[in-house]
Amino acid sequence: MAEWKNWSESVVSTPRVFARPRNEAELSTLVLAARKLRVVGAGHSFMPLCETDDTLISMTDYEGTIEVAPDRKTVWAPAGWGLDRLTEALWAEGLSLINQGDINPQSLAGATSTGTHGTGAELASISAQACGFKLMGADGRIIECGPELRPDLYQSQRLSLGLFGVVTAIRINVLPAYHLEERVSRMPLGEVIERIDELAAATRHMEFFVFPYADHVIFKTLHPVPPEGHYVDSKDIDETVFRLICDLGIVAKRMIPTLQRAMMRFSSPDSRRVGPAYKIFPSERTIRFEEMEYELPRANGLATLTDAISYIRKHQMPIAFPFEFRLAAADDIWMSPFSFGPGASVSFHQYAKMPWRNEFAEIEKVFQAGGGRPHWAKRHTLTAADVHRLYPKTADFLAVRERIDPGQKFANAHMTQLFGLADISKAKAA
């Protein structure tokens, strides 16, 4: 048995089989032979989405290439490609993704199946940009779906959590290749809160990071601009000082508030760079952390963030990492956290070397009080009852899942608990 760990090393799995199928025949053999099967991307999920004791596969080596539609508005892309590989290939074709998150190792299938998103008040998640899927079902056969072809499967597969099969290719919306200007600056938190609507309207993408014990934020914007000559790779934020503070926080927790305030007071994060969109969107994040993220109704976003900060300060919680605040557009995907309307995303992190479980449990209550829904791949404690309450289309989603995979081949222990699949199996048996 090979041991597999996620990026933060908090999820460990020992599958009986770990394989990298190269073509449809190899994949079909693996699917038919498996009792249970999950697919892993880059391992950037913090929940045990990929955990299994049976068959775990990676689609990284699966054959395929991008196929550009005649109108150049969509492409078919290999589902197992990382966003880094995909966006570079798109750029060579004169195309770009509509939006990206702040890291790019995730597989395209992993990003769509969990609702990964970037930032932008008028921009929806990567799941919302997918407009077609090819996947292998439990019977080892390829199924295709889209808005007019098996529409119920398509609607379910848009954010599927890997419950319907192994995705081999995804059709996704694209734009003509564009360049972005990134600006990073320091701003008072109070000013950002007061001017949030103005700041969001002034640029295509806006986000900020705020340490729970500091009163200034690292404010970041991205906006399309004309190219400015040859691009030289560079970082958005230098992590050297931050890494030192995290390590000091392990042995001197009481110093964390002072260290955070000092770092923000004396740092000069102001920077500007312009380059190809696929180079500017992602950031290099080398300090490992654990993460919880809740998507909130936009009107509740900033109030919930400030409530969480106040809670941490009041209880003197040793939190080394900053919160991240982003905006995202609404969508109509059955299991999307943004299906309730325009959203504000608040991410809560903790240094991977420090305790986080109790801290996450406390802050999750604050997020839930703000009317939030968790990101499926980030830490949360939803029960099956919670899922049905938060997502009115859960019954429809599970009905499609039952038709496509009645033997629950693609459901691991976490999926079974999250959607109450064990209860469904017992009811059928009775």
Side-chain angles (χ1 to χ4, degrees):
M1 290 186 179
E3 184 178 80
W4 174 87
K5 295 181 180 180
N6 72 335
W7 178 79
S8 67
E9 300 186 346
S10 63
V11 179
V12 181
S13 186
T14 52
R16 179 182 60 84
V17 175
F18 182 81
R20 297 177 181 271
R22 295 167 296 179
N23 52 51
E24 185 177 330
E26 291 182 3
L27 177 60
S28 180
T29 298
L30 287 163
V31 169
L32 291 173
R35 176 181 57 85
K36 292 284 188 178
L37 186 147
R38 294 296 289 175
V39 183
V40 64
H44 269 268
S45 294
F46 298 90
M47 293 297 288
L49 301 181
C50 303
E51 194 173 48
T52 182
D53 61 2
D54 193 60
T55 302
L56 185 65
I57 67 171
S58 166
M59 295 291 284
T60 304
D61 298 338
Y62 197 82
E63 63 187 5
T65 187
I66 60 173
E67 300 175 18
V68 182
D71 64 4
R72 297 180 60 79
K73 293 182 179 180
T74 65
V75 302
W76 278 103
W81 280 16
L83 295 182
D84 47 0
R85 181 180 178 185
L86 172 61
T87 53
E88 185 172 4
L90 289 175
W91 191 263
E93 295 283 349
L95 300 168
S96 292
L97 292 181
I98 293 173
N99 198 9
Q100 291 180 232
D102 57 5
I103 58 171
N104 65 358
Q106 310 109 308
S107 67
L108 176 60
T112 58
S113 66
T114 58
T116 293
H117 63 93
T119 188
E122 304 302 323
L123 298 169
S125 70
I126 295 177
S127 302
Q129 305 308 327
C131 52
F133 298 90
K134 295 177 183 178
L135 63 153
M136 182 172 288
D139 61 0
R141 298 179 181 180
I142 296 293
I143 313 167
E144 183 177 341
C145 62
E148 298 178 359
L149 177 65
R150 302 183 181 91
D152 57 346
L153 175 58
Y154 164 71
Q155 182 58 263
S156 301
Q157 182 60 43
R158 294 173 78 191
L159 200 162
S160 67
L161 296 170
L163 282 170
F164 299 88
V166 182
V167 185
T168 60
I170 298 175
R171 187 181 181 190
I172 192 163
N173 296 314
V174 293
L175 291 174
Y178 58 96
H179 286 68
L180 287 172
E181 175 193 60
E182 175 194 86
R183 289 183 178 272
V184 180
S185 60
R186 184 181 62 183
M187 292 181 66
L189 174 60
E191 180 182 349
V192 172
I193 292 172
E194 184 178 337
R195 297 176 55 202
I196 190 66
D197 292 337
E198 171 197 344
L199 294 169
T203 184
R204 188 173 187 253
H205 311 267
M206 175 221 74
E207 65 180 314
F208 65 86
F209 300 85
V210 57
F211 288 94
Y213 293 102
D215 294 319
H216 285 75
V217 311
I218 299 171
F219 188 80
K220 179 177 174 179
T221 63
L222 303 171
H223 200 73
V225 295
E228 292 186 1
H230 178 68
Y231 173 73
V232 178
D233 278 332
S234 59
K235 299 179 181 179
D236 61 336
I237 298 171
D238 189 331
E239 294 183 317
T240 304
V241 175
F242 179 38
R243 185 186 301 275
L244 175 61
I245 288 176
C246 287
D247 287 334
L248 283 172
I250 295 175
V251 296
K253 293 182 176 62
R254 292 181 180 275
M255 289 182 63
I256 288 175
T258 301
L259 291 169
Q260 289 183 0
R261 287 191 289 266
M263 181 175 65
M264 288 304 300
R265 186 179 303 118
F266 298 112
S267 66
S268 299
D270 289 14
S271 65
R272 177 185 181 272
R273 58 178 182 156
V274 172
Y278 82 101
K279 292 281 192 179
I280 299 296
F281 272 125
S283 304
E284 185 179 7
R285 297 290 180 254
T286 62
I287 305 175
R288 295 184 188 271
F289 54 81
E290 202 67 23
E291 182 176 2
M292 170 184 288
E293 176 181 307
Y294 263 69
E295 325 301 1
L296 300 131
R298 190 167 298 174
N300 300 351
L302 282 175
T304 302
L305 171 63
T306 55
D307 285 347
I309 291 172
S310 296
Y311 188 96
I312 289 171
R313 293 182 180 183
K314 178 180 178 181
H315 296 275
Q316 299 180 29
M317 296 169 66
I319 305 300
F321 259 71
F323 286 94
E324 181 181 13
F325 183 92
R326 294 176 286 174
L327 300 177
D331 61 46
D332 61 352
I333 300 173
W334 285 356
M335 304 307 293
S336 168
F338 295 107
S339 61
F340 54 50
S345 171
V346 181
S347 299
F348 178 48
H349 314 78
Q350 176 65 308
Y351 191 27
K353 296 179 182 180
M354 295 178 69
W356 55 269
R357 292 186 184 276
N358 292 337
E359 290 77 5
F360 277 25
E362 291 299 301
I363 297 303
E364 186 173 29
K365 296 174 186 176
V366 179
F367 289 160
Q368 291 171 340
R373 296 172 172 176
H375 188 304
W376 293 103
K378 312 294 174 71
R379 287 288 172 181
H380 65 80
T381 60
L382 289 193
T383 65
D386 294 327
V387 173
H388 281 269
R389 174 176 54 83
L390 292 170
Y391 292 93
K393 287 290 188 177
T394 299
D396 297 305
F397 178 81
L398 293 179
V400 178
R401 193 220 61 77
E402 173 66 16
R403 188 176 77 245
I404 298 298
D405 181 24
Q408 300 184 11
K409 178 172 292 197
F410 300 111
N412 65 0
H414 174 58
M415 292 292 103
T416 298
Q417 175 273 322
L418 188 61
F419 288 98
L421 298 182
D423 296 333
I424 293 172
S425 295
K426 291 176 183 177
K428 284 174 60 181

